[in-house]
Amino acid sequence: MSYEEAKKRYEALNVNVEAAMETLKTVPVSLHCWQGDDVRGFDTDPSKPLTGGIQTTGNYLGRARTPEELMADIDKVLSLIPGKPKMNLHASYAIFEKGEWADRDKLEPRHFKKWVEFCKERGLGCDFNPTFFSHPKCDPLTLSSPNEETRKFWIEHGRACIRISNYLAEELNDICTMNIWTGDGFKDVPADRMGPRMRYRESIDEILSEPYDFAKVKPCVESKVFGIGVEAYTVGSAEFSLAYAAMNREKCIPLMDNGHYHPTEVVSDKIPALLSFFPEIALHVTRPIRWDSDHVVLFDDETKEIAKEIVRCGGLEGRVHIALDYFDASINRVSAWVTGYRNLQKALLSALLTPAADLKKLQDESRFTELMVRQEELKTLPFGDIWDEYCRRCGKPADGEWFAQIMEYEKKVLVNRK
Ligand code: RNT
Ligand code: ZN
């Protein structure tokens, strides 16, 4: 079916297709730098394992080993994704001059100058994350450690990251969300659950005492249910993180990662719950399989439902900060990046093509039989034709037009990374 015909099918249902595409072009979605190198970064020994309860699996060829390689891969990704990407960096991706190195408590804005140049040249904003894992100073706790020296080190890291976030927001003239997540927790039954939480709370207070303009820098607190090696207890649990954000609304916002809840809980339902209270929230969109496995985001039911809630709760007007968070080392990493980003774009476009007002009216009038029929019929509309047109209008390849470029890049560039 052609775009024009597909458009008519949607218009018959009161959907403004042109407006949907125009809106999506303006919605920032954060592209996580860590898909390209299996979350290793540049500031620690890359042969050391990931810690903090997260895990990449697979050993596909072509992991980016240097800032240059990672940036080249990101450029490839940017050429293949529609929409309005912004970068999302971890502190461990600091770029040092030859012979220079700074530990995480001593990081400075200048260590991200090359990233700022990268973003400026491409017209991108940038989000940021302190890196509280994969480092010798994890004892294994960080911000919740009973060891004052360890805890201080990580607080100083957090404060350094606020200064870097200020710099990114200023230089790029865009909002910078700064996400606080730690893998702090215990493998087995703890003897003290409250102590680490009280210390974590104080540590976040101390980090957020570093000055920043909350209109530009948005510290987030991300919760988690459990991680590998920390199965019994997580310091930054859902209740802890949400309560922290609720009690500190004037200086931070809650972040929900849809891999961080019990398997029958859904973040789609939590979005309107949180937006009933918080002016702004942040999301990590990922795909958990049985646990927080961080698989590539698909165009699946829950991703679509998350997108619908973002759209119909007014999330696109700056209330929901959207980021991707996954890492798959078992397939071509550039393809993994592109596939996940495009799928989230698809989910958002599909949500924007939903006649939300009409469906809401059916619900409010208790016409549930019709509501079910209408919602089911939406699923077989010619969405693919609108999607292809959206890609074209963004100057990016439609489905079926980009995978060959990935294979070419693999043959020309990635295979040489031995
Ligand atoms: C881990 C959290 C966290 C990380 C990134 C790398 O479970 O989801 O957000 O994935 O910060
Ligand atoms: Zn996350």
Side-chain angles (χ1 to χ4, degrees):
M1 192 184 276
S2 74
Y3 167 67
E4 289 304 329
E5 281 171 69
K7 186 176 154 187
K8 279 191 200 122
R9 293 280 303 277
Y10 281 93
E11 280 171 349
L13 297 174
N14 272 333
V15 173
N16 187 335
V17 177
E18 296 285 331
M21 291 191 290
E22 283 312 306
T23 301
L24 187 53
K25 279 188 196 168
T26 67
V27 177
V29 175
S30 233
L31 181 72
H32 54 312
C33 73
W34 51 92
Q35 161 56 41
D37 75 332
D38 312 342
V39 209
R40 289 178 199 226
F42 309 127
D43 73 336
T44 48
D45 180 352
S47 65
K48 292 269 156 62
L50 259 186
T51 67
I54 54 177
Q55 190 93 74
T56 52
T57 51
N59 190 24
Y60 200 84
L61 63 91
R63 180 179 73 80
R65 298 157 306 176
T66 62
E68 294 71 33
E69 289 180 353
L70 190 63
M71 286 175 178
D73 293 355
I74 293 169
D75 269 333
K76 191 78 228 170
V77 173
L78 293 174
S79 73
L80 303 176
I81 56 173
K84 189 176 189 288
K86 68 189 292 200
M87 276 313 299
N88 200 0
L89 297 177
H90 246 283
S92 52
Y93 291 78
I95 302 179
F96 303 113
E97 297 294 331
K98 242 190 160 29
E100 188 201 16
W101 177 78
D103 210 347
R104 295 204 182 147
D105 60 332
K106 300 270 169 11
L107 286 174
E108 292 176 43
R110 67 189 175 88
H111 298 127
F112 293 87
K113 188 164 177 279
K114 292 226 173 77
W115 283 113
V116 161
E117 285 161 10
F118 178 89
C119 290
K120 275 188 182 164
E121 280 160 19
R122 291 152 185 81
L124 309 173
C126 190
D127 291 323
F128 200 63
N129 306 257
T131 312
F132 298 108
F133 54 85
S134 303
H135 186 282
K137 280 249 157 56
C138 303
D139 73 7
L141 305 182
T142 63
L143 291 176
S144 68
S145 174
N147 178 326
E148 267 308 288
E149 195 200 311
T150 304
R151 199 172 74 86
K152 276 268 135 39
F153 173 86
W154 290 110
I155 291 168
E156 284 314 312
H157 175 53
R159 296 174 65 123
C161 287
I162 295 263
R163 296 191 289 272
I164 294 161
S165 300
N166 287 340
Y167 164 74
L168 294 172
E170 190 68 31
E171 286 289 324
L172 302 171
N173 195 22
D174 195 13
I175 286 176
C176 175
T177 66
M178 192 202 89
N179 180 42
I180 297 174
W181 170 75
T182 77
D184 287 18
F186 294 116
K187 180 185 174 79
D188 227 317
V189 186
D192 173 21
R193 289 187 167 88
M194 178 111 166
R197 290 195 171 125
M198 291 304 289
R199 291 191 292 271
Y200 194 16
R201 175 181 173 177
E202 272 170 37
S203 297
I204 305 174
D205 283 346
E206 286 180 59
I207 291 171
L208 300 188
S209 71
E210 186 72 23
Y212 57 92
D213 175 357
F214 192 37
K216 291 184 189 143
V217 171
K218 311 266 178 195
C220 309
V221 186
E222 179 180 15
S223 68
K224 186 156 176 170
V225 60
F226 82 96
I228 294 223
V230 280
E231 289 86 356
Y233 165 83
T234 299
V235 184
S237 61
E239 293 74 16
F240 173 90
S241 305
L242 198 52
Y244 188 92
M247 300 294 283
N248 294 278
R249 282 177 44 155
E250 73 295 343
K251 54 182 184 190
C252 74
I253 60 179
L255 186 147
M256 294 190 289
D257 177 314
N258 61 304
H260 291 190
Y261 297 87
H262 293 283
T264 57
E265 290 183 70
V266 279
V267 162
S268 51
D269 184 66
K270 297 176 193 293
I271 292 170
L274 264 54
L275 287 176
S276 303
F277 296 92
F278 292 95
E280 290 172 57
I281 64 170
L283 299 178
H284 272 181
V285 182
T286 187
R287 180 165 54 106
I289 296 195
R290 308 192 194 284
W291 75 289
D292 182 33
S293 59
D294 288 296
H295 279 66
V296 177
V297 170
L298 299 183
F299 186 45
D300 58 13
D301 284 349
E302 175 56 5
T303 309
K304 288 183 204 171
E305 210 60 31
I306 287 173
K308 274 196 250 169
E309 289 301 342
I310 294 173
V311 168
R312 63 193 175 199
C313 296
L316 300 185
E317 284 100 69
R319 293 193 68 191
V320 180
H321 302 275
I322 312 167
L324 286 163
D325 180 16
Y326 57 82
F327 22 96
D328 192 335
S330 75
I331 55 175
N332 180 300
R333 293 174 185 77
V334 179
S335 184
W337 242 327
V338 174
T339 303
Y341 200 98
R342 289 174 70 96
N343 282 334
L344 184 50
Q345 288 281 300
K346 281 183 186 170
L348 289 166
L349 183 62
S350 164
L352 285 161
L353 292 170
T354 302
D358 289 2
L359 297 178
K360 177 183 175 301
K361 189 161 179 279
L362 291 177
Q363 175 178 314
D364 290 346
E365 291 171 0
S366 299
R367 291 155 65 187
F368 299 116
T369 310
E370 191 177 345
L371 177 59
M372 177 191 281
V373 172
R374 294 279 307 274
Q375 291 198 122
E376 284 307 292
E377 287 182 353
L378 281 173
K379 294 179 180 174
T380 49
L381 285 185
F383 172 71
D385 296 285
I386 313 282
W387 165 252
D388 287 348
E389 178 69 13
Y390 171 68
C391 291
R392 266 177 231 123
R393 291 193 187 188
C394 291
K396 298 296 154 73
D399 280 8
E401 297 172 1
W402 60 270
F403 186 66
Q405 294 187 51
I406 297 276
M407 285 295 104
E408 202 181 297
Y409 189 70
E410 179 170 311
K411 272 198 214 113
K412 277 206 184 120
V413 180
L414 301 179
V415 281
N416 302 317
R417 297 179 187 168
K418 292 276 156 53

